[in-house]
Each structure stands twice: as structure tokens, then as C-alpha cells.
Amino acid sequence: EVTFVSMLLLEGCRHLDWTTTKFTNALEIPPEFIKKNVKLRGRLHQITEQGLQIEHVPITLPIISSFQRRYGLLLIRLAGVAPTPSGIDWLKEELKPAQMVWFQLLGRKNLELDCLVVVKKGRFSSVCLNEEILRNGLGRTVPIEGLTHESQIFWKLHRRLLQAELKAVKKSKGIWKEETFIEKFKERISNNKYIPWDYITGSDANPCGYDKSCKSFMLP
């Protein structure tokens, strides 16, 4: 006879199985992980024009850690960002070999994963690489793969990325050094049918600051 307690135990074992499973291929990740925007951790192996090659490091238990001998790399793309060649070089300078990173699953296309990628900076702070690339003028915002315009996380992330890009524009950093680029950026935003300019700049009736929004749905 299946009781409520046994159902809870089965669900707990199922959850434990996924949290301790090492994913060596993007297709191995359960669809529900993508849907729920689960956060995973991994070890950086290589940075290419296609993205970050990361070895997934699951939350293992001492008893089963010896069974986690599978090897394979996940290809992680910075969601909503198209890095320039200088941006790729910046990533190679900023990130160390075998450095641990956290990545939040947003979408999957074939063997590629679109994610928010966060690295620790010091003991109590961290940096979102997606935003940092844009904030330094080392890339452009692009449509976020895997998220619908109806989802709440789409609006939060889209605004965060545009605000980061706007900071680079105001400071004339990277690709925004010339005025023509700034005008093109403003024109592109003003024609955006999803988000008005005042929403991006924070002058709307219910502004949401960067630090606050970052902590609300991404890892610290």
C-alpha cells in the first residue's frame, strides 16, 4: 500500500538522485531543470568563441562520490549577450583554469545551454559575467534564448542586461566609444516594443535597482 509518507520518501530519493547526478551532456539535464531555471555549479575548462566549456560538479555525498567518474563538458553560453573578440579575451584574463562557477539554466538549444554565469570575487562578493561583459562595453545584448516574453524572469533579466549595457554607453566604454554607437543604441531601445526607455533607465513608477534585482533571483 502506497502511503503519503512513502510518496514523500520516493520524491525525496528522486530529488537526491538528480542533485547528485553528474551531467556530462546538455541533453542529460531534465527538462524540468530548464523550466525551473535551476542553478548548477561547475569547473571551468576552456573559453571559446562558442562559449564556456564547463565540467558539471554535482552536490555529491561521500558514499556515492566514488561513482561520479563520468567525464564530459557542458557548453555554456552567456544568455542574452553577444561578446566581442575583446570580450572573449577579457573572459580568458578574468577567469582562472579550473575555476568554480555557478550557472543558472535559462534555455537549451541542441547541445548548448544558455545561462547566467556567476563567479565569486573575494570572500563575500560575486560577479555576473553576463552583466559584466555588457557593463564594460565588451558585447551587445541579444534576444534571450529559451525564455518567453510572458515569463517574469524574462523581464527581470532583460532589464538587468539593458541597464548594464546602458552603463557602458554612458561611460563610452568599449564598443560605445563613438557617438554614433550611442545614438544607435538609444534608437534601438526606443524602438523596442517590449520595454520602454524609461523602464530601462529606472525612471518608471516602480523602479528596481540592479543590486536588489540581482539578489532576488540569482545566486549571491
Side-chain angles (χ1 to χ4, degrees):
E1 181 181 357
V2 179
T3 64
F4 178 71
V5 174
S6 62
M7 289 177 64
L8 287 178
L9 290 174
L10 287 172
E11 180 62 25
C13 291
R14 178 173 172 271
H15 177 72
L16 180 62
D17 179 60
W18 283 126
T19 57
T20 58
T21 297
K22 182 174 183 177
F23 301 124
T24 60
N25 187 297
L27 299 179
E28 296 177 355
I29 299 177
E32 61 190 83
F33 274 41
I34 308 293
K35 184 178 180 180
K36 294 180 179 180
N37 307 126
V38 170
K39 308 173 188 74
L40 303 174
R41 66 175 180 174
R43 183 178 293 107
L44 177 68
H45 276 248
Q46 189 176 5
I47 301 173
T48 68
E49 294 182 357
Q50 287 71 39
L52 309 179
Q53 293 184 351
I54 295 176
E55 178 185 0
H56 175 223
V57 179
I59 304 173
T60 58
L61 298 177
I63 300 176
I64 62 176
S65 59
S66 59
F67 296 99
Q68 300 291 340
R69 301 300 184 187
R70 303 171 65 226
Y71 180 78
L73 300 179
L74 302 176
L75 180 57
I76 307 296
R77 298 191 304 182
L78 299 180
V81 179
T84 62
S86 298
I88 301 297
D89 292 338
W90 179 84
L91 287 172
K92 292 179 180 179
E93 293 176 1
E94 287 292 311
L95 302 179
K96 302 176 182 178
Q99 182 171 349
M100 295 296 293
V101 303
W102 286 91
F103 52 99
Q104 183 176 20
L105 303 171
L106 299 178
R108 172 173 55 194
K109 184 177 181 181
N110 299 325
L111 296 178
E112 300 175 342
L113 295 168
D114 289 287
C115 307
L116 279 184
V117 182
V118 171
V119 296
K120 282 192 174 183
K121 287 290 183 180
R123 202 169 184 180
F124 303 105
S125 62
S126 58
V127 172
C128 176
L129 296 180
N130 307 59
E131 293 174 278
E132 203 65 16
I133 284 281
L134 297 172
R135 194 177 293 113
N136 286 285
L138 299 174
R140 297 175 179 272
T141 55
V142 295
I144 304 170
E145 299 288 344
L147 295 180
T148 63
H149 299 141
E150 292 77 20
S151 64
Q152 185 179 10
I153 192 174
F154 169 84
W155 293 102
K156 289 183 178 181
L157 177 56
H158 197 43
R159 177 175 175 173
R160 279 174 53 185
L161 296 180
L162 288 173
Q163 285 179 329
E165 192 172 35
L166 180 59
K167 289 182 179 180
V169 172
K170 290 181 176 180
K171 295 182 179 180
S172 299
K173 285 189 172 184
I175 62 176
W176 307 109
K177 289 182 179 180
E178 298 181 16
E179 184 177 356
T180 53
F181 282 112
I182 298 177
E183 294 304 320
K184 288 181 180 180
F185 177 82
K186 289 183 178 180
E187 181 181 357
R188 179 155 62 95
I189 295 303
S190 63
N191 293 332
N192 191 304
K193 63 180 180 179
Y194 297 112
I195 301 182
W197 175 257
D198 58 355
Y199 181 82
I200 300 165
T201 57
S203 58
D204 56 306
N206 185 27
C208 179
Y210 159 72
D211 291 333
K212 184 177 180 181
S213 65
C214 180
K215 294 178 181 178
S216 65
F217 77 101
M218 191 55 199
L219 292 169

